[in-house]
PDB file of all heavy atoms in Angstrom:
ATOM      1  N   LEU A 183      -8.347  -0.147 -11.150  1.00 89.00           N
ATOM      2  CA  LEU A 183      -7.742   0.623 -10.068  1.00 89.00           C
ATOM      3  C   LEU A 183      -6.888   1.760 -10.628  1.00 89.00           C
ATOM      4  O   LEU A 183      -6.959   2.904 -10.165  1.00 89.00           O
ATOM      5  CB  LEU A 183      -6.876  -0.279  -9.190  1.00 89.00           C
ATOM      6  CG  LEU A 183      -7.582  -1.212  -8.210  1.00 89.00           C
ATOM      7  CD1 LEU A 183      -6.587  -2.201  -7.628  1.00 89.00           C
ATOM      8  CD2 LEU A 183      -8.265  -0.434  -7.099  1.00 89.00           C
ATOM      9  N   PHE A 185      -7.023   3.203 -13.607  1.00 86.00           N
ATOM     10  CA  PHE A 185      -7.801   4.199 -14.327  1.00 86.00           C
ATOM     11  C   PHE A 185      -8.667   5.032 -13.384  1.00 86.00           C
ATOM     12  O   PHE A 185      -8.939   6.200 -13.649  1.00 86.00           O
ATOM     13  CB  PHE A 185      -8.699   3.527 -15.366  1.00 86.00           C
ATOM     14  CG  PHE A 185      -7.952   3.011 -16.564  1.00 86.00           C
ATOM     15  CD1 PHE A 185      -8.598   2.197 -17.480  1.00 86.00           C
ATOM     16  CD2 PHE A 185      -6.621   3.333 -16.783  1.00 86.00           C
ATOM     17  CE1 PHE A 185      -7.918   1.719 -18.592  1.00 86.00           C
ATOM     18  CE2 PHE A 185      -5.944   2.853 -17.890  1.00 86.00           C
ATOM     19  CZ  PHE A 185      -6.590   2.048 -18.802  1.00 86.00           C
ATOM     20  N   ALA A 186      -9.103   4.443 -12.273  1.00 83.00           N
ATOM     21  CA  ALA A 186      -9.972   5.168 -11.354  1.00 83.00           C
ATOM     22  C   ALA A 186      -9.246   6.317 -10.674  1.00 83.00           C
ATOM     23  O   ALA A 186      -9.836   7.361 -10.387  1.00 83.00           O
ATOM     24  CB  ALA A 186     -10.549   4.225 -10.304  1.00 83.00           C
ATOM     25  N   ASP A 187      -7.933   6.138 -10.407  1.00 83.00           N
ATOM     26  CA  ASP A 187      -7.189   7.170  -9.688  1.00 83.00           C
ATOM     27  C   ASP A 187      -5.718   7.116 -10.090  1.00 83.00           C
ATOM     28  O   ASP A 187      -4.869   6.590  -9.367  1.00 83.00           O
ATOM     29  CB  ASP A 187      -7.338   6.976  -8.184  1.00 83.00           C
ATOM     30  CG  ASP A 187      -7.054   8.246  -7.398  1.00 83.00           C
ATOM     31  OD1 ASP A 187      -6.466   9.178  -7.984  1.00 83.00           O
ATOM     32  OD2 ASP A 187      -7.419   8.315  -6.223  1.00 83.00           O
ATOM     33  N   PRO A 188      -5.365   7.653 -11.265  1.00 83.00           N
ATOM     34  CA  PRO A 188      -3.981   7.563 -11.749  1.00 83.00           C
ATOM     35  C   PRO A 188      -2.961   8.221 -10.825  1.00 83.00           C
ATOM     36  O   PRO A 188      -1.782   7.869 -10.874  1.00 83.00           O
ATOM     37  CB  PRO A 188      -4.039   8.289 -13.104  1.00 83.00           C
ATOM     38  CG  PRO A 188      -5.467   8.269 -13.507  1.00 83.00           C
ATOM     39  CD  PRO A 188      -6.258   8.322 -12.232  1.00 83.00           C
ATOM     40  N   SER A 190      -2.825   7.943  -7.600  1.00 89.00           N
ATOM     41  CA  SER A 190      -2.466   7.045  -6.502  1.00 89.00           C
ATOM     42  C   SER A 190      -1.350   6.102  -6.945  1.00 89.00           C
ATOM     43  O   SER A 190      -0.979   6.050  -8.115  1.00 89.00           O
ATOM     44  CB  SER A 190      -3.689   6.228  -6.065  1.00 89.00           C
ATOM     45  OG  SER A 190      -4.586   7.016  -5.339  1.00 89.00           O
ATOM     46  N   PRO A 224      -2.876   5.603  -1.560  1.00 91.00           N
ATOM     47  CA  PRO A 224      -2.617   7.041  -1.692  1.00 91.00           C
ATOM     48  C   PRO A 224      -1.329   7.473  -1.004  1.00 91.00           C
ATOM     49  O   PRO A 224      -0.908   8.620  -1.172  1.00 91.00           O
ATOM     50  CB  PRO A 224      -3.824   7.663  -0.992  1.00 91.00           C
ATOM     51  CG  PRO A 224      -4.165   6.677   0.082  1.00 91.00           C
ATOM     52  CD  PRO A 224      -3.880   5.323  -0.519  1.00 91.00           C
ATOM     53  N   PRO A 245     -14.807  10.238   4.015  1.00 88.00           N
ATOM     54  CA  PRO A 245     -15.242   9.692   2.731  1.00 88.00           C
ATOM     55  C   PRO A 245     -15.705  10.797   1.795  1.00 88.00           C
ATOM     56  O   PRO A 245     -16.253  11.818   2.240  1.00 88.00           O
ATOM     57  CB  PRO A 245     -16.395   8.758   3.111  1.00 88.00           C
ATOM     58  CG  PRO A 245     -16.882   9.260   4.428  1.00 88.00           C
ATOM     59  CD  PRO A 245     -15.685   9.831   5.126  1.00 88.00           C
ATOM     60  N   ARG A 246     -15.480  10.617   0.496  1.00 89.00           N
ATOM     61  CA  ARG A 246     -15.977  11.558  -0.500  1.00 89.00           C
ATOM     62  C   ARG A 246     -17.499  11.440  -0.614  1.00 89.00           C
ATOM     63  O   ARG A 246     -18.093  10.428  -0.254  1.00 89.00           O
ATOM     64  CB  ARG A 246     -15.356  11.265  -1.873  1.00 89.00           C
ATOM     65  CG  ARG A 246     -13.845  11.350  -1.950  1.00 89.00           C
ATOM     66  CD  ARG A 246     -13.334  12.758  -1.797  1.00 89.00           C
ATOM     67  NE  ARG A 246     -13.869  13.667  -2.797  1.00 89.00           N
ATOM     68  CZ  ARG A 246     -13.330  13.872  -4.001  1.00 89.00           C
ATOM     69  NH1 ARG A 246     -12.225  13.221  -4.340  1.00 89.00           N
ATOM     70  NH2 ARG A 246     -13.871  14.747  -4.825  1.00 89.00           N
ATOM     71  N   SER A 247     -18.121  12.490  -1.130  1.00 91.00           N
ATOM     72  CA  SER A 247     -19.558  12.490  -1.388  1.00 91.00           C
ATOM     73  C   SER A 247     -19.805  12.747  -2.866  1.00 91.00           C
ATOM     74  O   SER A 247     -19.067  13.511  -3.508  1.00 91.00           O
ATOM     75  CB  SER A 247     -20.251  13.563  -0.551  1.00 91.00           C
ATOM     76  OG  SER A 247     -21.610  13.705  -0.934  1.00 91.00           O
ATOM     77  N   ASP A 253     -19.405  17.312  -0.584  1.00 95.00           N
ATOM     78  CA  ASP A 253     -18.014  16.883  -0.701  1.00 95.00           C
ATOM     79  C   ASP A 253     -17.067  17.978  -0.213  1.00 95.00           C
ATOM     80  O   ASP A 253     -16.129  17.709   0.554  1.00 95.00           O
ATOM     81  CB  ASP A 253     -17.715  16.519  -2.158  1.00 95.00           C
ATOM     82  CG  ASP A 253     -16.454  15.686  -2.300  1.00 95.00           C
ATOM     83  OD1 ASP A 253     -16.244  14.768  -1.484  1.00 95.00           O
ATOM     84  OD2 ASP A 253     -15.663  15.966  -3.214  1.00 95.00           O
ATOM     85  N   SER A 298      -7.200  14.524  -2.066  1.00 89.00           N
ATOM     86  CA  SER A 298      -8.312  13.624  -2.345  1.00 89.00           C
ATOM     87  C   SER A 298      -7.875  12.437  -3.185  1.00 89.00           C
ATOM     88  O   SER A 298      -6.934  12.528  -3.987  1.00 89.00           O
ATOM     89  CB  SER A 298      -9.433  14.364  -3.078  1.00 89.00           C
ATOM     90  OG  SER A 298      -8.993  14.775  -4.360  1.00 89.00           O
ATOM     91  N   THR A 299      -8.554  11.307  -2.978  1.00 85.00           N
ATOM     92  CA  THR A 299      -8.518  10.180  -3.894  1.00 85.00           C
ATOM     93  C   THR A 299      -9.934  10.023  -4.425  1.00 85.00           C
ATOM     94  O   THR A 299     -10.818  10.818  -4.114  1.00 85.00           O
ATOM     95  CB  THR A 299      -8.069   8.892  -3.186  1.00 85.00           C
ATOM     96  OG1 THR A 299      -9.074   8.512  -2.217  1.00 85.00           O
ATOM     97  CG2 THR A 299      -6.742   9.086  -2.466  1.00 85.00           C
ATOM     98  N   ALA A 300     -10.157   8.977  -5.211  1.00 80.00           N
ATOM     99  CA  ALA A 300     -11.498   8.772  -5.751  1.00 80.00           C
ATOM    100  C   ALA A 300     -12.517   8.525  -4.645  1.00 80.00           C
ATOM    101  O   ALA A 300     -13.697   8.859  -4.793  1.00 80.00           O
ATOM    102  CB  ALA A 300     -11.493   7.604  -6.731  1.00 80.00           C
ATOM    103  N   ALA A 301     -12.085   7.963  -3.507  1.00 82.00           N
ATOM    104  CA  ALA A 301     -13.029   7.578  -2.457  1.00 82.00           C
ATOM    105  C   ALA A 301     -12.932   8.402  -1.188  1.00 82.00           C
ATOM    106  O   ALA A 301     -13.890   8.465  -0.417  1.00 82.00           O
ATOM    107  CB  ALA A 301     -12.841   6.095  -2.104  1.00 82.00           C
ATOM    108  N   MET A 302     -11.766   9.051  -0.923  1.00 87.00           N
ATOM    109  CA  MET A 302     -11.528   9.645   0.382  1.00 87.00           C
ATOM    110  C   MET A 302     -10.863  11.010   0.269  1.00 87.00           C
ATOM    111  O   MET A 302     -10.150  11.307  -0.692  1.00 87.00           O
ATOM    112  CB  MET A 302     -10.605   8.731   1.210  1.00 87.00           C
ATOM    113  CG  MET A 302     -11.106   7.317   1.435  1.00 87.00           C
ATOM    114  SD  MET A 302     -12.564   7.213   2.484  1.00 87.00           S
ATOM    115  CE  MET A 302     -11.894   7.785   4.056  1.00 87.00           C
ATOM    116  N   TRP A 303     -11.074  11.846   1.325  1.00 92.00           N
ATOM    117  CA  TRP A 303     -10.262  13.016   1.610  1.00 92.00           C
ATOM    118  C   TRP A 303      -9.250  12.611   2.695  1.00 92.00           C
ATOM    119  O   TRP A 303      -9.592  11.877   3.618  1.00 92.00           O
ATOM    120  CB  TRP A 303     -11.108  14.165   2.135  1.00 92.00           C
ATOM    121  CG  TRP A 303     -12.005  14.823   1.124  1.00 92.00           C
ATOM    122  CD1 TRP A 303     -13.349  14.683   1.000  1.00 92.00           C
ATOM    123  CD2 TRP A 303     -11.611  15.743   0.100  1.00 92.00           C
ATOM    124  NE1 TRP A 303     -13.835  15.443  -0.026  1.00 92.00           N
ATOM    125  CE2 TRP A 303     -12.779  16.117  -0.602  1.00 92.00           C
ATOM    126  CE3 TRP A 303     -10.388  16.297  -0.290  1.00 92.00           C
ATOM    127  CZ2 TRP A 303     -12.764  16.997  -1.668  1.00 92.00           C
ATOM    128  CZ3 TRP A 303     -10.367  17.188  -1.356  1.00 92.00           C
ATOM    129  CH2 TRP A 303     -11.545  17.528  -2.025  1.00 92.00           C
ATOM    130  N   HIS A 304      -8.012  13.107   2.589  1.00 93.00           N
ATOM    131  CA  HIS A 304      -6.983  12.783   3.573  1.00 93.00           C
ATOM    132  C   HIS A 304      -6.230  14.041   3.987  1.00 93.00           C
ATOM    133  O   HIS A 304      -6.011  14.942   3.164  1.00 93.00           O
ATOM    134  CB  HIS A 304      -5.955  11.802   2.995  1.00 93.00           C
ATOM    135  CG  HIS A 304      -6.492  10.465   2.638  1.00 93.00           C
ATOM    136  ND1 HIS A 304      -6.678   9.470   3.566  1.00 93.00           N
ATOM    137  CD2 HIS A 304      -6.886   9.958   1.445  1.00 93.00           C
ATOM    138  CE1 HIS A 304      -7.159   8.385   2.951  1.00 93.00           C
ATOM    139  NE2 HIS A 304      -7.293   8.673   1.675  1.00 93.00           N
ATOM    140  N   ALA A 408     -16.077   3.047   3.706  1.00 87.00           N
ATOM    141  CA  ALA A 408     -15.731   3.950   2.609  1.00 87.00           C
ATOM    142  C   ALA A 408     -14.399   3.551   1.968  1.00 87.00           C
ATOM    143  O   ALA A 408     -14.247   3.593   0.746  1.00 87.00           O
ATOM    144  CB  ALA A 408     -15.673   5.384   3.115  1.00 87.00           C
ATOM    145  N   ARG A 411     -14.343   0.784  -0.640  1.00 83.00           N
ATOM    146  CA  ARG A 411     -14.956   1.041  -1.942  1.00 83.00           C
ATOM    147  C   ARG A 411     -13.933   1.151  -3.066  1.00 83.00           C
ATOM    148  O   ARG A 411     -14.255   0.902  -4.226  1.00 83.00           O
ATOM    149  CB  ARG A 411     -15.814   2.300  -1.879  1.00 83.00           C
ATOM    150  CG  ARG A 411     -17.057   2.145  -1.030  1.00 83.00           C
ATOM    151  CD  ARG A 411     -18.109   3.201  -1.328  1.00 83.00           C
ATOM    152  NE  ARG A 411     -19.249   3.038  -0.435  1.00 83.00           N
ATOM    153  CZ  ARG A 411     -19.510   3.802   0.610  1.00 83.00           C
ATOM    154  NH1 ARG A 411     -18.697   4.799   0.896  1.00 83.00           N
ATOM    155  NH2 ARG A 411     -20.554   3.591   1.368  1.00 83.00           N
ATOM    156  N   THR A 412     -12.684   1.543  -2.758  1.00 79.00           N
ATOM    157  CA  THR A 412     -11.679   1.655  -3.815  1.00 79.00           C
ATOM    158  C   THR A 412     -11.497   0.326  -4.528  1.00 79.00           C
ATOM    159  O   THR A 412     -11.601   0.232  -5.752  1.00 79.00           O
ATOM    160  CB  THR A 412     -10.337   2.133  -3.235  1.00 79.00           C
ATOM    161  OG1 THR A 412     -10.508   3.435  -2.686  1.00 79.00           O
ATOM    162  CG2 THR A 412      -9.267   2.175  -4.318  1.00 79.00           C
ATOM    163  N   SER A 415     -15.021  -1.120  -5.969  1.00 81.00           N
ATOM    164  CA  SER A 415     -15.461  -0.489  -7.207  1.00 81.00           C
ATOM    165  C   SER A 415     -14.732  -1.060  -8.393  1.00 81.00           C
ATOM    166  O   SER A 415     -15.301  -1.214  -9.485  1.00 81.00           O
ATOM    167  CB  SER A 415     -15.260   1.021  -7.134  1.00 81.00           C
ATOM    168  OG  SER A 415     -16.074   1.594  -6.145  1.00 81.00           O
TER     169      SER A 415
END
Side-chain angles (χ1 to χ4, degrees):
L183 284 169
F185 287 170
D187 201 345
S190 286
R246 300 291 302 272
S247 171
D253 197 42
S298 65
T299 66
M302 302 293 294
W303 289 105
H304 296 278
R411 291 199 183 104
T412 297
S415 295

